[in-house]
């Protein structure tokens, strides 16, 4: 150690701290390293705001500082620098080896942000210790290389670090920060405890059932010294926060400034919550993110959506004019007759679906339409072009009534449940069951005229704009005139080996045809018949399509077989995948027991496209997902593919934003249309937002009827019924 005389000769020379350095030593957390070698790990806890707490929190924080000094050079000026990515990953990997932390994005982000704070603190420590004097001013001489930290810092890094710190711009920033931090108005007095562990300590001591404390409560407690006295100015801020918290709502607190920021009269920093400490953000505290200004792309998308709505409104307005013109022509001259008794609705009371066209065309409720002659609404005649409707179910709680009810002063649909309202004719749709019954009655009339004839009936041309299910009516007529009209009758359809990878025979019963005619839930026989239709009409003779798309049999792989015989299901899938050496998309209609969905599997790229018409997640079908993942891994092993270790367990699942069904029976029809559109687009990769040519929120009834028409036409052309 230098003498006092030597110090007096050079007042600007730094103090010799060799004795202090030897006493302090270097923190490298040897105990953690020894425990790691013994496979001993430490548990850590997190509070309700996703902050680190518990007995091992301080140990982890110190270990993070050690790892930062080992892996991050002191010359790194920006923690967000992409060049530090591999070093950050190494830090995260080392922490996971010694501490039991979930390997999730939110946990990794918290730890690496804490590592960034440790890195800034490390650089500040070196600056204050070696580059500044006792008055906290930069020294003029060249500081010596800190041999004590040679395991962390090379001589080249030290020279570069000193040059960075002596930069004039840095000195200005340092002086500003020093001035700002020299005399804090409300000094923090809890040392290294931190807000999160302070909150934990308070909750433990008070034995409270609460999971967190308000920010202003923690702020006050953090400024209580060892003598347990509270300064008057601190108490004043706390009292003001208590008063403000009684008058400001949670939403207002979130969208503007917290009560603590208001009481302190200071701005709030983005991404942090004052009085809560590291890791607590507005998102974690308020459980939903703060609003942000939309990007240019979002503004353009919103503008395009508004333009589309305006165009739709113009079309609706034109349609309304046509409807008014038609309704005026249909008005009867008799005073007893009602204009509202329209031919498109069955007479009497029928279940119906209620739609609105503004601001968007959508289903808003369900009820019953009363189509009776001379009907009145609240003792008053119905407006032209409207029918009386009783509201049973509301699907859009914010939907407005087309015509407000002046009697009950009701404007919202939700307030009209159980009462009668007037509804526009073109926005009322009879339920599918009534539609199916009407279709059956029509086919019976045609069938009676065609009795005992083997030729196809000739249907009359439909009215302009109307849809007549020609092939459905024709097929139903053929069924009625054949032995398929009797119970238990069946037909057999041969399925070639190229379709499912093995030869089989599909059985079609009368009930399968009845499901098509009455638009009911479909069985596997109908789905497989449509697959045969797709193969015959699109893929047969087309090498490009037949080599690109293949099918998986729903008879060999379904929920029941997966639970009962998982090995056989896996063997079939792997064998199916091994049948081709090129990229194929395997279309698999999967039946979960009460619902159809479509999986499109690309086993070579290890990608699974998930198309579900009820907007469910693949996690709802764990047995199916496990089978698919296992089959792809076995396929990978059998073809001896090399996959990076980081991706060895990651099969990519993509949820496609496909059209959604509006009821509980259309899933089979949606799956058939999905397969048709995928093959028609001739693309292995399915866009996450679905194909632009077929993008829509819901399939219309006409789009589903087209699929049924193709099925019925296929039955007729194959002469399966005759």
């Amino acid at each position: 150690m230098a003498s006092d005389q030597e110090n007096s000769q050079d007042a600007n020379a730094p103090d010799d701290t060799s004795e202090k350095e030897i006493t302090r030593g270097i923190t490298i957390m040897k105990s953690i390293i020894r425990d790691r070698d013994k496979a001993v790990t430490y548990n850590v806890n997190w509070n309700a705001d996703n902050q680190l707490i518990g007995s091992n929190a301080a140990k982890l924080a110190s270990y993070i500082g050690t790892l930062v000094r080992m892996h991050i050079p002191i010359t790194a000026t920006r923690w967000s620098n992409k060049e530090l990515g591999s070093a950050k990953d190494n830090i995260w990997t080392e922490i996971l080896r010694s501490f039991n932390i979930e390997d999730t994005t939110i946990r990794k982000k918290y730890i690496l942000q804490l590592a960034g704070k440790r890195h800034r603190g490390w650089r500040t420590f070196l600056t204050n210790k070696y580059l500044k004097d006792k008055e906290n001013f930069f020294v003029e001489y060249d500081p010596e290389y800190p041999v004590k930290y040679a395991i962390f810092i090379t001589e080249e890094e030290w020279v570069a670090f000193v040059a960075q710190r002596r930069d004039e711009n840095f000195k200005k920033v340092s002086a500003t920060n020093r001035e700002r931090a020299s005399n804090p108005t409300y000094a923090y007095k809890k040392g290294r405890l931190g807000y999160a562990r302070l909150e934990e300590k308070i909750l433990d001591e008070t034995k409270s059932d609460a999971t967190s404390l308000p920010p202003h409560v923690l702020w006050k407690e953090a400024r209580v010294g060892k003598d347990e006295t509270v300064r008057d100015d601190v108490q004043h801020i706390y009292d003001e926060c208590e008063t403000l918290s009684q008058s400001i709502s949670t939403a207002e607190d979130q969208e503007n400034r917290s009560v603590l920021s208001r009481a302190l009269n200071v701005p709030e920093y983005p991404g942090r919550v004052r009085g809560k400490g590291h890791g607590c953000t507005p998102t974690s505290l308020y459980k939903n993110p703060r609003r942000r200004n939309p990007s240019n792309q979002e503004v353009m998308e919103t503008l395009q959506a508004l333009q589309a709505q305006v165009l739709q409104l113009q079309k609706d307005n034109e349609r309304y004019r046509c409807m008014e013109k038609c309704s005026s022509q249909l008005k009867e001259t008799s005073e007893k007759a009602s204009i509202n008794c329209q031919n498109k609705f069955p007479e009497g009371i029928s279940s119906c679906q209620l739609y609105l066209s503004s601001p968007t065309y959508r289903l808003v409720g369900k009820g019953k339409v009363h189509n009776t002659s001379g009907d009145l609404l609240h003792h008053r005649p119905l407006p032209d072009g409207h029918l009386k409707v009783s509201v049973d179910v509301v699907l859009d709680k914010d939907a407005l009534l087309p015509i407000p009810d002046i009697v009950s002063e009701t404007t919202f649909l939700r307030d009209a449940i159980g009462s009668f309202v007037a509804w526009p004719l073109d926005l009322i749709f009879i339920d599918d069951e009534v539609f199916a019954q009407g279709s059956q009655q029509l086919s019976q009339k045609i069938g009676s005229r065609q009795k005992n004839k083997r030729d196809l009936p000739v249907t009359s041309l439909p009215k302009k704009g109307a849809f007549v299910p020609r092939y459905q009516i024709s097929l139903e007529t053929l069924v009625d005139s054949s032995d398929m009209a009797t119970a238990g009758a069946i037909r057999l359809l041969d399925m070639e080996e190229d379709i499912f990878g093995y030869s089989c025979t599909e059985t079609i019963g009368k009930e399968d045809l009845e499901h098509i005619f009455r638009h009911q839930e479909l069985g596997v026989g109908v789905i497989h018949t449509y697959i045969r239709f797709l193969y015959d009409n699109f893929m047969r003779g087309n090498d490009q399509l037949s080599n690109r798309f293949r099918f998986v049999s729903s008879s060999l792989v379904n929920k029941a077989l997966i639970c009962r015989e998982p090995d056989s299901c896996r063997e079939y899938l792997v064998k199916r995948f091994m049948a081709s050496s090129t990229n194929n998309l395997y279309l698999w209609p999967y039946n979960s027991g009460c619902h159809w969905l479509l999986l499109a599997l690309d086993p070579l790229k290890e990608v699974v496209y998930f198309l579900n018409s009820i907007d469910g997640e693949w996690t709802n079908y764990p047995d199916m997902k496990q089978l698919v993942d296992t089959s792809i891994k076995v396929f990978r092993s059998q073809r001896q593919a090399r996959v990076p270790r980081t991706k060895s367990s990651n099969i990519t699942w993509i949820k496609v934003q496909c059209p959604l069904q509006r009821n509980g029976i259309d899933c089979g029809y949606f799956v058939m249309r999905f397969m048709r559109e995928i093959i028609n687009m001739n693309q292995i990769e399915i866009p996450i937002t679905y194909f632009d040519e077929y993008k829509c929120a819901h399939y219309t009834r006409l789009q589903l009827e087209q699929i049924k028409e193709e099925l019925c036409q296929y039955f007729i052309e194959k002469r399966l019924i005759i």
Side-chain angles (χ1 to χ4, degrees):
M1 182 174 178
S3 65
D4 294 338
Q5 184 178 2
E6 290 174 341
N7 287 334
S8 62
Q9 292 176 356
D10 189 356
N12 293 325
D15 294 338
D16 189 346
T17 58
S18 59
E19 181 179 349
K20 185 181 301 183
E21 291 177 355
I22 295 174
T23 303
R24 176 64 175 84
I26 304 176
T27 302
I28 58 176
M29 307 298 289
K30 291 183 179 179
S31 61
I32 296 179
I33 305 301
R34 287 194 294 267
D35 288 341
R36 184 192 67 189
D37 295 338
K38 298 176 183 178
V40 176
T41 57
Y42 303 93
N43 294 323
V44 295
N45 299 321
W46 306 85
N47 64 11
D49 298 319
N50 284 321
Q51 294 174 295
L52 189 64
I53 59 173
S55 58
N56 291 321
K59 180 176 292 188
L60 174 57
S62 298
Y63 187 51
I64 291 174
T66 299
L67 293 176
V68 165
R69 293 192 290 272
M70 289 181 176
H71 293 280
I72 307 296
I74 59 174
T75 54
T77 57
R78 295 183 61 86
W79 185 252
S80 58
N81 194 330
K82 294 183 179 180
E83 295 179 357
L84 300 179
S86 59
K88 293 179 183 178
D89 290 338
N90 291 335
I91 293 175
W92 176 241
T93 302
E94 290 295 323
I95 291 173
L96 291 181
R97 293 178 63 186
S98 298
F99 292 85
N100 295 323
I101 304 176
E102 302 94 331
D103 190 2
T104 60
T105 302
I106 186 172
R107 295 288 185 249
K108 183 177 181 180
K109 180 180 179 181
Y110 178 95
I111 294 297
L112 292 183
Q113 285 179 344
L114 187 57
K117 292 183 62 177
R118 294 291 178 268
H119 182 251
R120 291 190 294 273
W122 168 233
R123 284 160 51 88
T124 301
F125 164 78
L126 293 174
T127 302
N128 294 336
K129 184 174 179 63
Y130 295 99
L131 304 183
K132 292 184 178 181
D133 56 21
K134 293 181 179 180
E135 285 74 28
N136 211 21
F137 291 103
F138 283 92
V139 297
E140 298 298 331
Y141 58 85
D142 291 333
E144 294 183 2
Y145 169 64
V147 180
K148 174 180 177 180
Y149 302 107
I151 60 174
F152 302 136
I153 307 171
T154 65
E155 294 188 17
E156 292 78 8
E157 289 176 345
W158 177 251
V159 172
F161 174 73
V162 172
Q164 290 176 356
R165 291 312 205 189
R166 285 185 168 177
D167 182 77
E168 292 301 324
N169 291 330
F170 175 80
K171 287 184 177 181
K172 292 180 181 179
V173 174
S174 177
T176 301
N177 293 336
R178 181 173 66 251
E179 179 66 24
R180 184 176 58 184
S182 60
N183 188 23
T185 307
Y186 309 99
Y188 180 88
K189 297 185 177 182
K190 295 300 179 182
R192 296 185 61 192
L193 187 62
Y195 281 107
R197 284 185 284 167
L198 174 61
E199 181 180 56
E200 179 189 21
K201 179 181 177 182
I202 296 173
L203 293 176
D204 289 342
E205 291 177 351
T206 58
K207 298 181 180 180
S208 173
D209 295 332
T211 58
S212 63
L213 296 174
H216 66 275
V217 174
L218 287 174
W219 181 86
K220 171 191 171 184
E221 294 296 329
R223 280 144 186 85
V224 177
K226 294 181 179 180
D227 56 359
E228 299 297 329
T229 59
V230 181
R231 284 170 34 186
D232 293 340
D233 54 350
V234 172
Q235 184 64 43
H236 174 72
I237 295 295
Y238 174 79
D239 294 339
E240 188 173 349
C241 289
E242 286 290 298
T243 303
L244 287 173
S245 62
Q246 303 298 323
S247 58
I248 298 178
S249 64
T250 303
E252 187 179 0
D253 184 14
Q254 174 195 354
E255 295 299 334
N256 299 284
R257 292 186 299 165
S258 66
V259 293
L260 181 56
S261 298
R262 293 169 184 268
L264 292 171
N265 194 24
V266 293
E268 193 70 274
Y269 289 93
R272 89 169 200 189
V273 179
R274 188 180 297 274
K276 273 292 188 177
H278 172 72
C280 184
T281 64
T283 301
S284 63
L285 183 65
Y286 300 108
K287 306 309 179 187
N288 57 349
R290 290 180 181 267
R291 292 182 180 176
R292 61 175 179 84
N293 294 329
S295 63
N296 292 337
Q297 181 180 358
E298 292 172 337
V299 172
M300 293 302 300
E301 291 176 351
T302 302
L303 180 60
Q304 293 175 359
L306 291 175
Q307 292 174 344
Q309 291 180 13
V310 171
L311 181 61
Q312 183 62 42
L313 289 174
Q314 292 174 347
K315 293 180 180 179
D316 293 341
N317 186 36
E318 186 67 25
R319 189 171 71 250
Y320 294 155
R321 292 180 180 179
C322 295
M323 287 291 299
E324 291 177 359
K325 182 178 180 181
C326 294
S327 62
S328 62
Q329 295 175 353
L330 293 172
K331 182 179 290 186
E332 297 183 6
T333 57
S334 174
E335 295 180 355
K336 296 182 180 181
S338 171
I339 190 175
N340 300 299
C341 189
Q342 301 294 329
N343 293 330
K344 64 180 271 190
F345 297 103
E347 294 185 2
I349 302 175
S350 306
S351 297
C352 65
Q353 298 178 349
L354 305 176
Y355 284 76
L356 287 179
S357 59
S358 179
T360 59
Y361 192 84
R362 66 199 189 280
L363 175 67
V364 296
K366 296 183 179 182
K368 295 180 178 62
V369 58
H370 295 249
N371 187 25
T372 56
S373 178
D375 205 355
L376 300 176
L377 178 64
H378 303 313
H379 307 290
R380 297 184 180 185
L382 283 163
D384 290 349
H386 290 69
L387 282 179
K388 185 169 75 171
V389 170
S390 60
V391 181
D392 297 331
V393 178
V394 174
L395 302 178
D396 186 347
K397 62 182 180 63
D398 296 324
L400 297 173
L401 290 173
I403 299 180
D405 190 342
I406 59 176
V407 176
S408 60
E409 298 181 353
T410 302
T411 57
F412 287 95
L413 179 62
R414 63 174 181 263
D415 298 325
I417 295 178
S419 60
F420 293 98
V421 296
W423 208 273
L425 287 168
D426 61 323
L427 297 178
I428 302 174
F429 291 87
I430 302 299
D431 274 350
D432 292 337
E433 295 179 358
V434 178
F435 183 95
Q437 292 173 1
S439 175
Q440 183 183 12
Q441 293 172 0
L442 177 62
S443 64
Q444 289 175 351
K445 292 179 181 178
I446 297 178
S448 62
R449 295 196 299 266
Q450 298 291 336
K451 207 69 174 176
N452 298 325
K453 290 187 178 181
R454 309 298 286 180
D455 297 331
L456 297 180
V458 179
T459 58
S460 59
L461 293 175
K463 296 180 180 180
K464 186 177 181 180
F467 172 77
V468 175
R470 296 171 178 271
Y471 290 101
Q472 294 181 52
I473 295 173
S474 301
L475 181 62
E476 190 169 3
T477 302
L478 288 175
V479 170
D480 289 339
S481 61
S482 69
D483 62 339
M484 286 291 286
T486 60
I490 62 172
R491 290 293 188 269
L492 300 179
L493 177 64
D494 293 331
M495 307 293 287
E496 301 176 18
E497 182 178 356
D498 290 341
I499 300 177
F500 292 132
Y502 67 101
S503 300
C504 61
T505 301
E506 196 61 55
T507 302
I508 306 298
K510 179 187 177 182
E511 63 274 13
D512 292 317
L513 300 175
E514 292 289 333
H515 292 163
I516 299 174
F517 299 150
R518 286 157 180 74
H519 198 85
Q520 297 173 346
E521 297 179 3
L522 300 179
V524 65
V526 176
I527 300 294
H528 280 186
T529 301
Y530 191 75
I531 288 177
R532 172 66 189 271
F533 159 78
L534 293 175
Y535 181 81
D536 285 345
N537 289 271
F538 291 84
M539 301 168 64
R540 188 186 298 276
N542 188 328
D543 293 337
Q544 185 182 29
L545 289 178
S546 60
N547 291 330
R548 179 166 290 183
F549 299 99
R550 297 173 184 266
F551 300 97
V552 174
S553 172
S554 301
S555 298
L556 291 188
V557 191
N558 53 54
K559 180 176 177 59
L561 288 175
I562 292 175
C563 296
R564 190 171 64 248
E565 302 175 10
D567 293 340
S568 63
C569 294
R570 184 182 64 253
E571 291 174 2
Y572 168 70
L573 285 179
V574 174
K575 182 179 179 181
R576 196 81 181 100
F577 296 158
M578 293 293 293
S580 175
S581 58
T582 60
N583 267 86
N584 295 116
L585 196 65
Y586 289 80
L587 303 179
W588 172 22
Y590 174 74
N591 194 319
S592 66
C594 58
H595 174 64
W596 286 100
L597 55 88
L598 181 66
L599 297 176
L601 303 91
D602 186 345
L604 276 178
K605 292 184 178 180
E606 301 188 351
V607 175
V608 181
Y609 299 96
F610 181 82
L611 293 87
N612 192 351
S613 57
I614 60 173
D615 199 28
E617 302 290 341
W618 60 71
T619 54
N620 298 332
Y621 311 91
D623 297 331
M624 174 269 292
K625 183 180 185 303
Q626 182 179 4
L627 172 68
V628 173
D629 290 346
T630 304
S631 300
I632 292 179
K633 291 177 183 178
V634 173
F635 169 66
R636 176 201 303 162
S637 174
Q638 291 192 6
R639 65 188 180 92
Q640 298 180 349
R642 295 184 178 181
V643 179
R645 183 175 300 177
T646 57
K647 298 183 179 180
S648 60
S649 60
N650 294 333
I651 309 299
T652 303
W653 284 72
I654 299 176
K655 180 181 178 181
V656 180
Q657 300 173 14
C658 54
L660 303 179
Q661 64 189 76
R662 292 189 176 115
N663 54 37
I665 61 175
D666 281 346
C667 55
Y669 304 94
F670 273 62
V671 165
M672 292 190 293
R673 189 167 183 93
F674 290 158
M675 291 190 293
R676 190 190 197 284
E677 291 171 349
I678 291 172
I679 295 175
N680 190 53
M681 292 305 299
N682 193 15
Q683 296 181 17
I684 290 290
E685 298 180 359
I686 304 177
I688 190 172
T689 57
Y690 206 55
F691 303 109
D692 290 337
E693 289 81 352
Y694 300 109
K695 189 180 297 183
C696 59
H698 312 279
Y699 286 144
T700 64
R701 183 61 185 272
L702 178 59
Q703 288 175 300
L704 300 184
E705 289 293 335
Q706 291 172 348
I707 298 297
K708 293 166 61 176
E709 280 290 273
E710 289 179 336
L711 257 176
C712 294
Q713 181 182 3
Y714 186 72
F715 276 104
I716 294 172
E717 291 178 348
K718 285 293 181 180
R719 304 181 71 85
L720 294 174
I721 305 304
I722 300 176

